[in-house]
Amino acid sequence: MLLNDLIKIDEPSILKAKDIVQWKRSKGSYNFSSLPKVALIALKKNAFSRKTLLLSKKIKGISGKNYSYKSKLLLCSDFGSGSTSIILLLEELHSLGVKKFIFVGLAGIMDNHISEGEANVISSVRSLVGSSYYYSKKENINAHDLDWLNKTATVLGINMKTSICVDAPFRETPALIRFCAKNNISLIEMETAGLYAFSEFYGVSCLSILIGADRLSVDTWEHPKNIEQLIKKQKDIIQKLIKHLI
């Protein structure tokens, strides 16, 4: 028997996120009694505007930098990177009562029709990520809440694309890039497979919005040309989401 065969999606786990939450509560680790029902997630705090953070309450006890904005939205960042890190955050937040999650991140571009700084909402993701396997056995994972996906894309005025999610950014090989081109996969990144596998497992609404940054082809890598503009784009997207969600 292969070790992967021991992972049964319908078999309950021994350690649950609610156990960690109860333990933290008993220690007085949290400075809140409840959290907003919707979380906006970014890898770095600089994706949120300074004005938004000034109007927010700092949340303690959860890994990363977390803020409650007007008691209506949870803003999360600096929890790590990759699907494993985002799943750890999602598990705890879900156990604390958060119901919806939107991730705004950066991705490598493999589609010549996508410009640097262009945002797209991800309708489905191919997974080459180990952690997603514990939540979904599927190689291709669709967004769970299609109605929310369509409404968000319309509000933001952005297109839907597919991505591929990897664990090792320095092992993006020519064969992988050719596969993506053949299968109309536009973006490559590290978080969406974990996000969407978690969404499927628990039946909760999760969206991934990815902004094109660096560019990959079969034989070359091109660095982003304007980092400041990418940060500004994240801020703009998040501000639009805040206005839409509140």
Side-chain angles (χ1 to χ4, degrees), residues 181-218:
K182 184 178 179 180
N183 290 276
N184 297 314
I185 299 169
S186 300
L187 299 159
I188 188 163
E189 38 88 30
M190 296 178 67
E191 285 79 29
T192 304
L195 184 75
Y196 282 11
F198 176 91
S199 176
E200 179 182 282
F201 185 82
Y202 286 108
V204 297
S205 298
C206 295
L207 290 181
S208 176
I209 297 168
L210 299 178
I211 298 165
D214 54 338
R215 191 177 295 274
L216 294 93
S217 64
V218 170

Tab-separated table of all heavy atoms in Angstrom, residues 181-218:
chain	number	residue	atom	x	y	z
A	181	ALA	N	0.203	25.297	-21.434
A	181	ALA	CA	-0.180	25.903	-22.711
A	181	ALA	C	-1.190	25.028	-23.453
A	181	ALA	O	-2.171	25.526	-24.023
A	181	ALA	CB	1.060	26.131	-23.563
A	182	LYS	N	-0.968	23.729	-23.426
A	182	LYS	CA	-1.853	22.788	-24.117
A	182	LYS	C	-3.240	22.743	-23.481
A	182	LYS	O	-4.244	22.493	-24.159
A	182	LYS	CB	-1.220	21.389	-24.107
A	182	LYS	CG	-2.001	20.342	-24.874
A	182	LYS	CD	-1.272	19.010	-24.858
A	182	LYS	CE	-2.042	17.945	-25.609
A	182	LYS	NZ	-1.332	16.631	-25.586
A	183	ASN	N	-3.306	22.998	-22.161
A	183	ASN	CA	-4.568	22.867	-21.424
A	183	ASN	C	-5.175	24.218	-21.017
A	183	ASN	O	-6.035	24.266	-20.133
A	183	ASN	CB	-4.345	21.997	-20.189
A	183	ASN	CG	-4.096	20.544	-20.533
A	183	ASN	OD1	-5.030	19.779	-20.733
A	183	ASN	ND2	-2.826	20.164	-20.628
A	184	ASN	N	-4.721	25.282	-21.679
A	184	ASN	CA	-5.288	26.619	-21.465
A	184	ASN	C	-5.222	27.065	-20.005
A	184	ASN	O	-6.167	27.675	-19.472
A	184	ASN	CB	-6.741	26.672	-21.959
A	184	ASN	CG	-6.859	26.442	-23.450
A	184	ASN	OD1	-6.106	27.015	-24.234
A	184	ASN	ND2	-7.779	25.582	-23.844
A	185	ILE	N	-4.112	26.756	-19.346
A	185	ILE	CA	-3.879	27.207	-17.977
A	185	ILE	C	-3.039	28.479	-18.050
A	185	ILE	O	-1.948	28.482	-18.613
A	185	ILE	CB	-3.164	26.117	-17.159
A	185	ILE	CG1	-4.045	24.864	-17.090
A	185	ILE	CG2	-2.835	26.618	-15.757
A	185	ILE	CD1	-3.328	23.636	-16.528
A	186	SER	N	-3.554	29.562	-17.495
A	186	SER	CA	-2.983	30.884	-17.732
A	186	SER	C	-1.975	31.338	-16.690
A	186	SER	O	-1.070	32.111	-16.994
A	186	SER	CB	-4.111	31.920	-17.812
A	186	SER	OG	-4.994	31.605	-18.866
A	187	LEU	N	-2.137	30.889	-15.435
A	187	LEU	CA	-1.355	31.423	-14.327
A	187	LEU	C	-0.787	30.298	-13.479
A	187	LEU	O	-1.364	29.208	-13.404
A	187	LEU	CB	-2.222	32.340	-13.460
A	187	LEU	CG	-2.799	33.583	-14.170
A	187	LEU	CD1	-3.999	34.124	-13.426
A	187	LEU	CD2	-1.726	34.656	-14.311
A	188	ILE	N	0.328	30.573	-12.815
A	188	ILE	CA	0.948	29.582	-11.947
A	188	ILE	C	1.258	30.235	-10.604
A	188	ILE	O	1.761	31.366	-10.549
A	188	ILE	CB	2.208	28.983	-12.610
A	188	ILE	CG1	2.750	27.811	-11.791
A	188	ILE	CG2	3.283	30.023	-12.878
A	188	ILE	CD1	3.723	26.929	-12.559
A	189	GLU	N	0.927	29.547	-9.515
A	189	GLU	CA	1.040	30.135	-8.183
A	189	GLU	C	1.079	29.034	-7.133
A	189	GLU	O	1.260	27.861	-7.478
A	189	GLU	CB	-0.111	31.115	-7.941
A	189	GLU	CG	-1.458	30.667	-8.514
A	189	GLU	CD	-2.279	29.819	-7.606
A	189	GLU	OE1	-2.163	29.983	-6.376
A	189	GLU	OE2	-3.073	28.992	-8.097
A	190	MET	N	0.897	29.388	-5.846
A	190	MET	CA	1.123	28.412	-4.779
A	190	MET	C	-0.021	28.272	-3.779
A	190	MET	O	0.066	27.423	-2.891
A	190	MET	CB	2.400	28.793	-4.008
A	190	MET	CG	3.662	28.739	-4.831
A	190	MET	SD	5.129	29.245	-3.888
A	190	MET	CE	5.247	27.915	-2.693
A	191	GLU	N	-1.081	29.078	-3.891
A	191	GLU	CA	-2.097	29.089	-2.835
A	191	GLU	C	-3.478	28.551	-3.215
A	191	GLU	O	-4.193	28.004	-2.368
A	191	GLU	CB	-2.280	30.519	-2.303
A	191	GLU	CG	-1.179	31.023	-1.406
A	191	GLU	CD	0.060	31.477	-2.143
A	191	GLU	OE1	-0.080	31.933	-3.309
A	191	GLU	OE2	1.167	31.388	-1.582
A	192	THR	N	-3.881	28.693	-4.474
A	192	THR	CA	-5.286	28.465	-4.822
A	192	THR	C	-5.730	27.019	-4.648
A	192	THR	O	-6.883	26.768	-4.266
A	192	THR	CB	-5.572	28.940	-6.262
A	192	THR	OG1	-5.193	30.308	-6.376
A	192	THR	CG2	-7.035	28.807	-6.614
A	193	ALA	N	-4.877	26.055	-4.908
A	193	ALA	CA	-5.291	24.655	-4.759
A	193	ALA	C	-5.669	24.346	-3.316
A	193	ALA	O	-6.675	23.680	-3.051
A	193	ALA	CB	-4.183	23.715	-5.228
A	194	GLY	N	-4.883	24.836	-2.370
A	194	GLY	CA	-5.223	24.645	-0.968
A	194	GLY	C	-6.527	25.330	-0.615
A	194	GLY	O	-7.383	24.777	0.078
A	195	LEU	N	-6.694	26.550	-1.117
A	195	LEU	CA	-7.912	27.324	-0.864
A	195	LEU	C	-9.144	26.609	-1.405
A	195	LEU	O	-10.158	26.459	-0.702
A	195	LEU	CB	-7.757	28.696	-1.521
A	195	LEU	CG	-8.867	29.717	-1.316
A	195	LEU	CD1	-8.815	30.311	0.082
A	195	LEU	CD2	-8.757	30.834	-2.354
A	196	TYR	N	-9.078	26.146	-2.652
A	196	TYR	CA	-10.253	25.536	-3.277
A	196	TYR	C	-10.505	24.105	-2.780
A	196	TYR	O	-11.668	23.666	-2.734
A	196	TYR	CB	-10.116	25.578	-4.793
A	196	TYR	CG	-10.436	26.938	-5.389
A	196	TYR	CD1	-10.599	28.058	-4.575
A	196	TYR	CD2	-10.560	27.121	-6.760
A	196	TYR	CE1	-10.883	29.302	-5.107
A	196	TYR	CE2	-10.855	28.369	-7.314
A	196	TYR	CZ	-11.004	29.453	-6.480
A	196	TYR	OH	-11.289	30.683	-7.020
A	197	ALA	N	-9.459	23.388	-2.430
A	197	ALA	CA	-9.656	22.058	-1.839
A	197	ALA	C	-10.335	22.183	-0.478
A	197	ALA	O	-11.246	21.417	-0.143
A	197	ALA	CB	-8.316	21.339	-1.706
A	198	PHE	N	-9.887	23.149	0.318
A	198	PHE	CA	-10.515	23.438	1.611
A	198	PHE	C	-11.977	23.819	1.407
A	198	PHE	O	-12.869	23.355	2.139
A	198	PHE	CB	-9.744	24.570	2.287
A	198	PHE	CG	-10.329	25.045	3.581
A	198	PHE	CD1	-9.933	24.485	4.786
A	198	PHE	CD2	-11.276	26.071	3.603
A	198	PHE	CE1	-10.479	24.921	5.987
A	198	PHE	CE2	-11.822	26.510	4.800
A	198	PHE	CZ	-11.418	25.937	5.992
A	199	SER	N	-12.243	24.671	0.418
A	199	SER	CA	-13.593	25.120	0.115
A	199	SER	C	-14.502	23.939	-0.231
A	199	SER	O	-15.638	23.848	0.248
A	199	SER	CB	-13.546	26.099	-1.057
A	199	SER	OG	-14.839	26.494	-1.451
A	200	GLU	N	-13.989	23.041	-1.047
A	200	GLU	CA	-14.766	21.858	-1.435
A	200	GLU	C	-15.016	20.948	-0.236
A	200	GLU	O	-16.128	20.440	-0.043
A	200	GLU	CB	-14.018	21.096	-2.528
A	200	GLU	CG	-14.722	19.836	-2.993
A	200	GLU	CD	-13.913	19.093	-4.053
A	200	GLU	OE1	-13.944	19.541	-5.215
A	200	GLU	OE2	-13.257	18.091	-3.705
A	201	PHE	N	-14.005	20.747	0.590
A	201	PHE	CA	-14.091	19.827	1.732
A	201	PHE	C	-15.153	20.286	2.735
A	201	PHE	O	-15.956	19.483	3.224
A	201	PHE	CB	-12.725	19.727	2.410
A	201	PHE	CG	-12.649	18.719	3.520
A	201	PHE	CD1	-12.448	17.375	3.248
A	201	PHE	CD2	-12.776	19.112	4.844
A	201	PHE	CE1	-12.371	16.433	4.269
A	201	PHE	CE2	-12.696	18.187	5.870
A	201	PHE	CZ	-12.503	16.847	5.583
A	202	TYR	N	-15.174	21.581	3.036
A	202	TYR	CA	-16.093	22.093	4.052
A	202	TYR	C	-17.367	22.705	3.462
A	202	TYR	O	-18.281	23.059	4.211
A	202	TYR	CB	-15.391	23.139	4.918
A	202	TYR	CG	-14.404	22.541	5.894
A	202	TYR	CD1	-13.042	22.687	5.704
A	202	TYR	CD2	-14.840	21.824	7.011
A	202	TYR	CE1	-12.128	22.135	6.605
A	202	TYR	CE2	-13.942	21.271	7.916
A	202	TYR	CZ	-12.583	21.435	7.706
A	202	TYR	OH	-11.685	20.890	8.600
A	203	GLY	N	-17.414	22.850	2.141
A	203	GLY	CA	-18.581	23.452	1.528
A	203	GLY	C	-18.715	24.933	1.834
A	203	GLY	O	-19.831	25.461	1.940
A	204	VAL	N	-17.578	25.616	1.989
A	204	VAL	CA	-17.590	27.054	2.265
A	204	VAL	C	-17.170	27.816	1.014
A	204	VAL	O	-16.540	27.264	0.113
A	204	VAL	CB	-16.664	27.415	3.453
A	204	VAL	CG1	-17.146	26.746	4.730
A	204	VAL	CG2	-15.221	27.030	3.161
A	205	SER	N	-17.522	29.091	0.972
A	205	SER	CA	-17.252	29.914	-0.200
A	205	SER	C	-15.847	30.503	-0.133
A	205	SER	O	-15.514	31.221	0.823
A	205	SER	CB	-18.282	31.046	-0.292
A	205	SER	OG	-19.586	30.517	-0.440
A	206	CYS	N	-15.044	30.205	-1.141
A	206	CYS	CA	-13.686	30.735	-1.239
A	206	CYS	C	-13.435	31.198	-2.667
A	206	CYS	O	-13.821	30.506	-3.619
A	206	CYS	CB	-12.643	29.666	-0.882
A	206	CYS	SG	-12.684	29.095	0.834
A	207	LEU	N	-12.780	32.339	-2.809
A	207	LEU	CA	-12.399	32.841	-4.117
A	207	LEU	C	-10.925	33.204	-4.129
A	207	LEU	O	-10.390	33.689	-3.131
A	207	LEU	CB	-13.208	34.086	-4.489
A	207	LEU	CG	-14.699	33.907	-4.793
A	207	LEU	CD1	-15.309	35.256	-5.154
A	207	LEU	CD2	-14.919	32.903	-5.910
A	208	SER	N	-10.283	32.983	-5.263
A	208	SER	CA	-8.901	33.396	-5.472
A	208	SER	C	-8.858	34.399	-6.617
A	208	SER	O	-9.329	34.115	-7.722
A	208	SER	CB	-8.016	32.186	-5.808
A	208	SER	OG	-6.703	32.590	-6.105
A	209	ILE	N	-8.316	35.578	-6.339
A	209	ILE	CA	-8.111	36.606	-7.351
A	209	ILE	C	-6.612	36.800	-7.501
A	209	ILE	O	-5.919	37.128	-6.534
A	209	ILE	CB	-8.794	37.929	-6.954
A	209	ILE	CG1	-10.305	37.719	-6.868
A	209	ILE	CG2	-8.459	39.030	-7.958
A	209	ILE	CD1	-11.051	38.864	-6.224
A	210	LEU	N	-6.095	36.543	-8.698
A	210	LEU	CA	-4.656	36.564	-8.922
A	210	LEU	C	-4.270	37.665	-9.906
A	210	LEU	O	-4.918	37.847	-10.937
A	210	LEU	CB	-4.185	35.211	-9.466
A	210	LEU	CG	-4.438	34.005	-8.552
A	210	LEU	CD1	-3.977	32.727	-9.245
A	210	LEU	CD2	-3.729	34.164	-7.214
A	211	ILE	N	-3.212	38.370	-9.557
A	211	ILE	CA	-2.692	39.452	-10.380
A	211	ILE	C	-1.403	38.984	-11.047
A	211	ILE	O	-0.484	38.508	-10.380
A	211	ILE	CB	-2.429	40.695	-9.513
A	211	ILE	CG1	-3.750	41.178	-8.890
A	211	ILE	CG2	-1.777	41.806	-10.327
A	211	ILE	CD1	-3.573	42.152	-7.755
A	212	GLY	N	-1.334	39.089	-12.351
A	212	GLY	CA	-0.154	38.652	-13.086
A	212	GLY	C	1.075	39.463	-12.706
A	212	GLY	O	1.028	40.695	-12.671
A	213	ALA	N	2.177	38.777	-12.424
A	213	ALA	CA	3.396	39.460	-11.972
A	213	ALA	C	4.565	39.127	-12.891
A	213	ALA	O	4.779	39.781	-13.913
A	213	ALA	CB	3.697	39.089	-10.526
A	214	ASP	N	5.329	38.088	-12.553
A	214	ASP	CA	6.422	37.663	-13.424
A	214	ASP	C	5.867	36.836	-14.579
A	214	ASP	O	4.674	36.526	-14.621
A	214	ASP	CB	7.474	36.885	-12.623
A	214	ASP	CG	6.874	35.708	-11.851
A	214	ASP	OD1	5.653	35.711	-11.585
A	214	ASP	OD2	7.624	34.791	-11.499
A	215	ARG	N	6.713	36.475	-15.517
A	215	ARG	CA	6.255	35.772	-16.716
A	215	ARG	C	7.163	34.585	-17.011
A	215	ARG	O	8.391	34.695	-16.923
A	215	ARG	CB	6.240	36.721	-17.914
A	215	ARG	CG	5.539	36.181	-19.148
A	215	ARG	CD	5.511	37.222	-20.252
A	215	ARG	NE	4.721	38.386	-19.890
A	215	ARG	CZ	3.390	38.473	-20.056
A	215	ARG	NH1	2.732	37.447	-20.586
A	215	ARG	NH2	2.739	39.568	-19.721
A	216	LEU	N	6.542	33.434	-17.348
A	216	LEU	CA	7.294	32.221	-17.652
A	216	LEU	C	6.948	31.709	-19.038
A	216	LEU	O	5.790	31.696	-19.446
A	216	LEU	CB	6.992	31.116	-16.635
A	216	LEU	CG	7.434	31.341	-15.189
A	216	LEU	CD1	6.301	31.962	-14.369
A	216	LEU	CD2	7.879	30.031	-14.557
A	217	SER	N	7.989	31.287	-19.756
A	217	SER	CA	7.803	30.564	-21.008
A	217	SER	C	8.641	29.296	-20.915
A	217	SER	O	9.246	29.015	-19.886
A	217	SER	CB	8.233	31.416	-22.199
A	217	SER	OG	9.613	31.688	-22.139
A	218	VAL	N	8.672	28.533	-21.988
A	218	VAL	CA	9.387	27.252	-21.960
A	218	VAL	C	10.868	27.428	-21.632
A	218	VAL	O	11.477	26.600	-20.957
A	218	VAL	CB	9.211	26.515	-23.306
A	218	VAL	CG1	10.139	25.306	-23.397
A	218	VAL	CG2	7.770	26.067	-23.476
